[in-house]
Amino acid sequence: MAGTTSVASGSASPITVQDLRDAPVDSILRAAEEAHASGEQLGEHGHKIHDLTTWSDEWSGDAATIACYRLRASGQNMYVIGKTTSASSTVVSSFGRTIGSLASTVRGPASFVERMGYSISPNGDITGGKAVAPGWLLPIEVVLRAAVMAARAAERLASSAMSSLLESLSGQANAPELEGQQRQAAQPGAELLLPSQVPVRVEERGEGPVIYAGDVESASEIITLVSGVGSDKESSYQSNAAWARQQVALAAARGESLAVVAWHDYDAPEGLKVGASGQRARGGADRLREFQSDLRQSNPDARLHAVGHSYGTVVIGQAARRGLEADRVTSWGSPGMGVSKRSQLHLSQGTDAGARAGDHVRQSENFEAPGEIVTEMIAGDPIAYAIGVHGPDPALLGKGPGWGTLLWRGLMDGLVMRKGAEAHSYYRWDPAVTERLAMSGRG
Amino acid sequence: MNAATIAITADTLRLLAGDGVLTLSADQIRQRVGRLESTETEAGDASARLQSVIVPPVGSASGFSSLAGEFIERASSFANEHARDLGDSARAVEVFCDRVEESDHL
């Protein structure tokens, strides 16, 4: 699923009596059937990926787990699109049946009125003709007008439902500028850099290591990844290091210069109970602010992108309360960012945002909120049930999705979660999510 | 097929596997990969069929028809991308199996 959608609303022109009489009802219903069939097929294909990747008997370990996450994430995305498409076909079908019923209602009376030598306005008024319309035509006029009004209401309702489903196709919010961006394929002829060839440097700090992949001094974009609960262990450091190297290699294949930092210099909660408190996040926030300021100083031209996963978004939120050097913040599976409104997050953009060179380390009161916040919530991520523990859903801090979209996403969560709670672990390895991360860097 | 993505993903799996891969039954995994690739093809076909769906407008009132068309276009495009991702990842697993066998880490 790609960037946030913006949708049109309403009709180019309202439905008229003549439109109803000529309505292509059969074609609409046939389109609904075809869309339903395709949606169901996509859903089934997505569904079976889960079984095909249950391979612990044949293969186990971190690589097996990550391969599984990567494949299941794509399968799940396909499943959600399939189910959403099926729902859209129901909207089309309902609209078609309603229009069909109204068309049947108006065709006979409208023909009769015309045979009597009168005209019918687009709104259903009986006008003109040889004489003033007699009073006995009034009931027919009422029927025609009511049918047109009902058809217009049906179109508004169907459009509203379709807008919500269209918006639901996106797993991302608050990044309207991403709309229309296309995936960037590997540059032909570019020398392939493999993750194992990406230089890695590990710096031990007070609370944990900071792992650098790529050249932070020269990169045009630097991603700082802040992980969440349970990330304070060796296996997490290793998988984040592999992820960081992979992102640098993928960016190089696209002809982009990226460095990735897995920042573990905070006392990450070891379990959900500790994670329910913001204390650890507050404890790490100043160190993250200092780290980002140092990054800005060491490479003033780079675009800084802070990416938080789960509790890591709380750390970023707490840091941004007092001003964080970041051109963009991306939150993955956030339980809230420790703020109640967008204006409490103060991000500072780099040199490409204006004449700010040399002024990167500044007092918190000088931070404005020009940076961008992108939120991602994968369908079936159980963290959705923890939203509120650390403040509202970050997606609602800006221009949030409508109620219809939220309702549909909630339904999808329920459907997907029946397979388990592992969707919370997909973000780093979901090709669609990381592709959007890359696209956001081109914004 | 995105050769760069496949090579990079396979290499990432190799990094994650560490020095030894003790439990990999490469042939069985390849069988699963074959089925994953079939799923990619079938899902690609389904998204192509979806793309051909047209919801006609009711007269000049094209608002709903446009929205439905936009939905179908995006849904089929996204489904196609996810199918491609699935195929690339499956092939990366296959490449990973080959590399592990070649390097005698089993």
Side-chain angles (χ1 to χ4, degrees), chain A residues 83-435:
Chain A
K83 288 296 173 193
T84 309
T85 300
S86 293
S88 81
S89 74
T90 305
V91 174
V92 173
S93 170
S94 300
F95 175 67
R97 283 200 302 272
T98 304
I99 293 296
S101 172
L102 294 169
S104 299
T105 303
V106 302
R107 277 178 188 139
S111 297
F112 173 76
V113 167
E114 285 174 349
R115 280 200 303 275
M116 297 296 292
Y118 296 98
S119 303
I120 301 169
S121 78
N123 293 332
D125 300 321
I126 299 175
T127 57
K130 291 177 283 190
V132 176
W136 57 267
L137 280 177
L138 185 61
I140 295 179
E141 187 176 73
V142 169
V143 167
L144 295 176
R145 290 175 64 176
V148 167
M149 286 169 66
R152 291 173 184 173
E155 208 215 2
R156 279 195 299 274
L157 194 63
S159 295
S160 173
M162 190 60 78
S163 293
S164 296
L165 293 172
L166 187 49
E167 194 176 14
S168 298
L169 283 179
S170 167
Q172 191 175 46
N174 298 348
E177 71 279 10
L178 299 186
E179 188 185 354
Q181 287 193 26
Q182 298 296 315
R183 285 187 172 206
Q184 190 169 324
Q187 298 252 324
E191 192 175 342
L192 183 63
L193 176 70
L194 292 173
S196 55
Q197 297 167 325
V198 172
V200 174
R201 182 167 61 88
V202 180
E203 195 177 272
E204 292 297 338
R205 297 219 173 181
E207 294 290 347
V210 176
I211 304 161
Y212 299 85
D215 186 355
V216 293
E217 307 286 327
S218 65
S220 57
E221 180 180 5
I222 304 172
I223 288 175
T224 303
L225 175 68
V226 184
S227 300
V229 170
S231 60
D232 213 357
K233 54 190 177 193
E234 193 59 36
S235 62
S236 179
Y237 305 153
Q238 286 178 3
S239 75
N240 276 347
W243 180 80
R245 296 165 91 178
Q246 182 188 44
Q247 298 314 303
V248 172
L250 287 169
R254 292 189 299 264
E256 297 165 5
S257 165
L258 174 74
V260 179
V261 184
W263 184 85
H264 288 276
D265 188 19
Y266 86 103
D267 190 9
E270 50 279 0
L272 295 176
K273 193 175 173 185
V274 179
S277 160
Q279 192 179 352
R280 300 283 182 90
R282 287 190 290 275
D286 281 345
R287 279 196 295 281
L288 180 60
R289 291 180 67 240
E290 190 181 337
F291 179 78
Q292 289 295 103
S293 293
D294 289 345
L295 270 187
R296 184 74 89 194
Q297 281 188 313
S298 67
N299 186 350
D301 297 325
R303 181 181 167 87
L304 301 187
H305 188 170
V307 179
H309 178 223
S310 193
Y311 193 83
T313 67
V314 188
V315 181
I316 290 175
Q318 292 294 338
R321 285 180 82 110
R322 296 184 57 205
L324 181 68
E325 288 287 354
D327 300 276
R328 183 184 287 252
V329 164
T330 294
S331 87
W332 289 342
S334 175
M337 296 181 74
V339 297
S340 56
K341 49 192 177 185
R342 172 67 177 84
S343 60
Q344 290 174 308
L345 297 173
H346 306 287
L347 307 180
S348 173
Q349 293 184 305
T351 51
D352 59 351
R356 290 178 170 176
D359 186 27
H360 297 305
V361 181
R362 55 192 105 144
Q363 300 301 310
S364 60
E365 61 267 27
N366 291 334
F367 279 84
E368 297 168 356
E372 299 146 330
I373 298 182
V374 178
T375 63
E376 297 253 13
M377 185 68 83
I378 288 179
D381 183 347
I383 200 76
Y385 294 129
I387 286 174
V389 172
H390 295 289
D393 182 351
L396 301 177
L397 293 177
K399 179 190 149 207
W403 67 268
T405 306
L406 291 173
L407 193 67
W408 180 248
R409 286 185 185 169
L411 188 61
M412 279 290 103
D413 281 342
L415 276 176
V416 173
M417 233 179 273
R418 290 186 304 178
K419 295 179 192 168
E422 65 182 19
H424 190 59
S425 304
Y426 287 171
Y427 293 90
R428 281 175 305 163
W429 308 104
D430 181 339
V433 169
T434 52
E435 182 69 25

Side-chain angles (χ1 to χ4, degrees), chain B residues 1-91:
Chain B
M1 180 189 292
N2 189 338
T5 302
I6 294 166
I8 288 168
T9 305
D11 195 59
T12 306
L13 293 177
R14 194 69 196 84
L15 281 173
L16 286 159
D19 294 331
V21 183
L22 302 176
T23 62
L24 180 72
S25 170
D27 285 342
Q28 286 178 309
I29 292 295
R30 282 197 194 92
Q31 283 176 17
R32 288 176 182 272
V33 165
R35 292 168 67 191
L36 287 164
E37 287 176 332
S38 300
T39 303
E40 177 203 7
T41 307
E42 289 160 5
D45 291 345
S47 73
R49 281 193 294 277
L50 177 61
Q51 196 171 23
S52 67
V53 173
I54 295 171
V55 178
V58 177
S60 55
S62 58
F64 177 67
S65 170
S66 297
L67 276 173
E70 190 178 346
F71 177 90
I72 287 166
E73 186 186 329
R74 288 197 184 205
S76 61
S77 167
F78 293 164
N80 204 40
E81 284 175 9
H82 297 314
R84 197 181 60 199
D85 285 339
L86 182 74
D88 284 352
S89 300
R91 283 183 281 277

